[in-house]
Amino acid sequence: MARLGSSFWRVGHGREIGLGARAVIMAIVNVTPDSFSDGGRYETVDAAVTHALQAASEGAGIIDIGGESTRPDADVVSPSEEQARVLPVIEALRGKTDALISIDTYRAETARLAVGAGAHIVNDVFGLQKEREIGKIVADTGAGLCLMHTGRDREKLPDVIADQFFFLERSLEIASAAGVSRDRIVLDPGFGFAKDTEENVELMARFGELHRLGLPLLAGTSRKRFVGAITGRQAAERDAGTAATSVLLRLAGASIFRVHDVAINRDALAIADAMLAASHSCEQGNLA
């Protein structure tokens, strides 16, 4: 069981968020017609904003807005279409919630416009290794940055943790060269991105090894295919399974949880946080 230290993730527009005693929930808002579990539900600006505000009221500290599905067989959208989907939502949310706003994109121009519209964080599923100009945008604007591991479009190393280090250390080199300070970065091991069920489960089991990278960790298991493979559930029925993975990964030291269903994960993580606090208290008592 991981011992969680306290730190702050510095993000854009002069904001920061504490990471430590309490798990932070990042709510998924897909402004897309084809996302794997909720495609089309929040395709309009009004529907997306209503969903985002509901997620914030249920306990999400971060709202992650995406305009292109990242499922393996999804259609690629143009940068202009992506921006037309996400920018009005960001602009509408700005000033309506204290939750931080994250833009889920791997495109530098979308990232630049989104931060200008009010986004605090850039969440890049290619870890700066598709459009590394995102690093310069983050450095110039002071935005927060989430670097995700992916196995797509390349040959992976056979060991799941060795491949994490191989990929994420390269992403961190790109970020450093662009001038992004480490207190603005969190890392996401990319559950489900070119990983089969066995690899995802092994990644969960060995999650604690990722702390050697020395940065806060985000877990994005929500409704993923491997959860369905284990539980036998369809995508929209995987929230209980997701909550189980959230608890396990919280105990392994994850700080941020990117989820579809905020309420069930909030409750599950509250139990995990209470147990971690009690464990820490017992350890302190034994040392006294």
Side-chain angles (χ1 to χ4, degrees):
M1 187 164 54
R3 182 177 299 172
L4 301 172
S6 295
S7 63
F8 286 91
W9 185 16
R10 295 176 61 209
V11 299
H13 306 291
R15 297 283 300 277
E16 61 184 22
I17 187 166
L19 304 176
R22 295 184 61 184
V24 173
I25 293 179
M26 173 188 275
I28 298 167
V29 177
N30 290 317
V31 194
T32 60
D34 58 347
S35 290
F36 75 95
S37 75
D38 57 2
R41 291 188 64 187
Y42 313 114
E43 195 173 357
T44 69
V45 173
D46 287 346
V49 169
T50 298
H51 177 55
L53 294 176
Q54 178 65 27
S57 73
E58 292 176 347
I62 305 170
I63 307 296
D64 191 41
I65 300 167
E68 180 179 331
S69 174
T70 56
R71 63 184 174 85
D73 55 348
D75 294 332
V76 176
V77 303
S78 68
S80 60
E81 177 64 20
E82 179 189 37
Q83 292 153 20
R85 291 174 178 179
V86 300
L87 294 177
V89 178
I90 294 170
E91 291 165 353
L93 278 176
R94 185 178 57 190
K96 290 186 176 179
T97 176
D98 288 332
L100 299 175
I101 300 171
S102 169
I103 176 65
D104 178 3
T105 188
Y106 57 85
R107 294 187 174 97
E109 182 63 8
T110 301
R112 183 184 68 80
L113 292 171
V115 174
H120 305 89
I121 296 162
V122 179
N123 179 14
D124 182 359
V125 298
F126 282 96
L128 300 185
Q129 298 189 42
K130 197 172 185 74
E131 294 194 14
R132 61 178 59 195
E133 295 86 354
I134 288 176
K136 184 67 164 56
I137 291 165
V138 167
D140 289 346
T141 62
L145 178 63
C146 180
L147 298 172
M148 196 194 82
H149 172 281
T150 183
R152 292 181 183 174
D153 304 327
R154 65 182 183 86
E155 186 174 345
K156 299 184 298 181
L157 298 178
D159 182 85
V160 294
I161 297 299
D163 196 67
Q164 290 282 326
F165 278 80
F166 173 80
F167 185 91
L168 290 174
E169 285 178 342
R170 178 59 182 146
S171 293
L172 288 169
E173 288 172 2
I174 297 169
S176 177
V180 182
S181 60
R182 286 177 69 89
D183 60 356
R184 296 193 181 274
I185 300 173
V186 302
L187 303 177
D188 177 353
F191 285 99
F193 281 75
K195 301 173 183 69
D196 62 23
T197 298
E198 182 179 348
E199 290 170 316
N200 282 299
V201 173
E202 182 178 353
L203 183 55
M204 286 184 60
R206 300 176 61 189
F207 190 85
E209 297 178 46
L210 299 177
H211 292 299
R212 298 203 309 269
L213 289 161
L215 287 167
L217 299 173
L218 181 151
T221 60
S222 190
R223 299 181 182 173
K224 291 290 175 72
R225 188 174 301 174
F226 83 96
V227 177
I230 294 168
T231 63
R233 300 285 186 179
Q234 296 301 309
E237 302 172 333
R238 296 172 187 165
D239 293 320
T242 297
T245 67
S246 293
V247 168
L248 292 170
L249 291 168
R250 179 59 174 162
L251 299 182
S255 296
I256 305 165
F257 299 83
R258 184 178 182 272
V259 301
H260 295 86
D261 188 314
V262 171
I264 191 171
N265 284 278
R266 177 201 62 204
D267 289 357
L269 287 164
I271 300 297
D273 284 344
M275 196 188 82
L276 286 169
S279 176
H280 178 70
S281 179
C282 290
E283 288 179 5
Q284 293 299 109
N286 291 334
L287 292 173

